[in-house]
Amino acid sequence: MSRMLNRRDLSRRLASLAGAFGAGRLMLAARPAAAQQALVEGEDYVRIDKPVDVPHDGKIDVIEFFWYGCPHCYAFEPFIEPWIARLPPDVRFQRVAYGFDEVLRERHQRVFYTLEALGLVDALHSKVFDRFHRQRKPIDDEAGMLQFARDNGLDAVKVKDAWSSFAVATKMRRAKALCEAYGVDFVPLVAIQGRFLTTPRTDRDGPRALAAADSLISQARKEG
């Protein structure tokens, strides 16, 4: 059975996450409008007690952990796409695919990393989300991926080769390691420079979460 999180679960898990990282209890109730511009640790984000190592190359490392089967990730997508396009040159952004369904997790991850291996994420990422949530046709196996390829004018042979390739398997192992390093057990989740975590608290809260991410990017830049 799918472990797709509802919003109550997400709030509970984020509160637990804040405690685990020593950031204090995460207050999930909305603050007064006049105070919403101030970034509050434990409320808008948590600081990771034991930072995850990131490359030391002058770039700010930003990761979005997501799952194609997650309705909250789907709701977040229209907000994060234009935000990604506006990121400054010193920010290195990557998506990392995750999943909660024990049976389908790797297959859903493989969908994303197949697209990535073929250089098709920008063109087809949102279409995969639409297929899962608008068309109600999740891509749960290779046959589903090949049908998606045909429906979108792709070379099914190339897609099939990528699906089972060593390169995609390597990407999936790296994704698993990153999810474990960050302790990911809910999505969407945005990690900044291995030090901070933030997430939208409702499906309409994307702009606030991304404003927090902007502030955390600036903070990480100052801290060096």
Side-chain angles (χ1 to χ4, degrees):
M1 181 177 292
S2 170
R3 288 181 56 203
M4 190 176 296
L5 295 179
N6 61 37
R7 195 55 15 166
R8 180 179 299 175
D9 291 334
L10 184 60
S11 297
R12 175 177 55 79
R13 288 180 181 272
L14 191 53
S16 298
L17 184 66
F21 289 140
R25 184 174 182 273
L26 190 66
M27 303 301 295
L28 294 172
R31 283 180 284 144
Q36 286 184 1
Q37 292 183 353
L39 199 63
V40 177
E41 184 173 350
E43 188 167 331
D44 296 300
Y45 73 99
V46 293
R47 183 186 289 267
I48 300 174
D49 188 48
K50 294 181 179 180
V52 178
D53 190 36
V54 298
H56 300 285
D57 56 4
K59 296 280 189 178
I60 306 298
D61 201 70
V62 177
I63 301 173
E64 179 206 7
F65 293 97
F66 79 97
W67 173 33
Y68 279 130
C70 170
H72 309 305
C73 296
Y74 184 53
F76 192 39
E77 188 65 16
F79 300 114
I80 198 168
E81 277 289 347
W83 180 80
I84 294 167
R86 296 194 298 269
L87 287 171
D90 68 338
V91 172
R92 176 180 44 248
F93 176 84
Q94 64 175 316
R95 291 182 172 96
V96 172
Y98 186 63
F100 297 103
D101 190 298
E102 297 298 328
V103 176
L104 298 175
R105 174 187 300 164
E106 289 190 0
R107 298 177 194 176
H108 291 170
Q109 286 178 310
R110 194 176 291 275
V111 172
F112 175 74
Y113 291 111
T114 296
L115 294 181
E116 189 174 76
L118 294 170
L120 294 172
V121 171
D122 288 347
L124 296 176
H125 185 62
S126 62
K127 289 188 177 183
V128 175
F129 264 127
D130 282 345
R131 195 174 188 92
F132 271 73
H133 298 282
R134 181 171 294 178
Q135 300 175 33
R136 305 293 183 183
K137 296 178 180 179
I139 303 171
D140 290 342
D141 51 26
E142 183 185 83
M145 185 66 188
L146 295 178
Q147 185 60 54
F148 175 78
R150 289 188 288 268
D151 290 346
N152 287 276
L154 305 181
D155 185 326
V157 173
K158 289 183 179 179
V159 172
K160 182 178 177 66
D161 288 345
W163 177 271
S164 58
S165 68
F166 176 77
V168 167
T170 300
K171 287 173 180 288
M172 290 171 63
R173 285 194 295 271
R174 182 175 180 274
K176 180 180 179 181
L178 280 170
C179 290
E180 290 176 352
Y182 281 93
V184 176
D185 68 351
F186 67 86
V187 287
L189 187 67
V190 179
I192 296 93
Q193 198 63 357
R195 305 176 195 171
F196 310 108
L197 297 168
T198 188
T199 185
R201 294 177 295 182
T202 71
D203 286 347
R204 292 181 292 181
D205 202 31
R208 179 168 172 169
L210 294 172
D214 284 333
S215 295
L216 294 168
I217 289 169
S218 297
Q219 186 170 337
R221 188 180 290 118
K222 291 175 184 176
E223 293 180 358

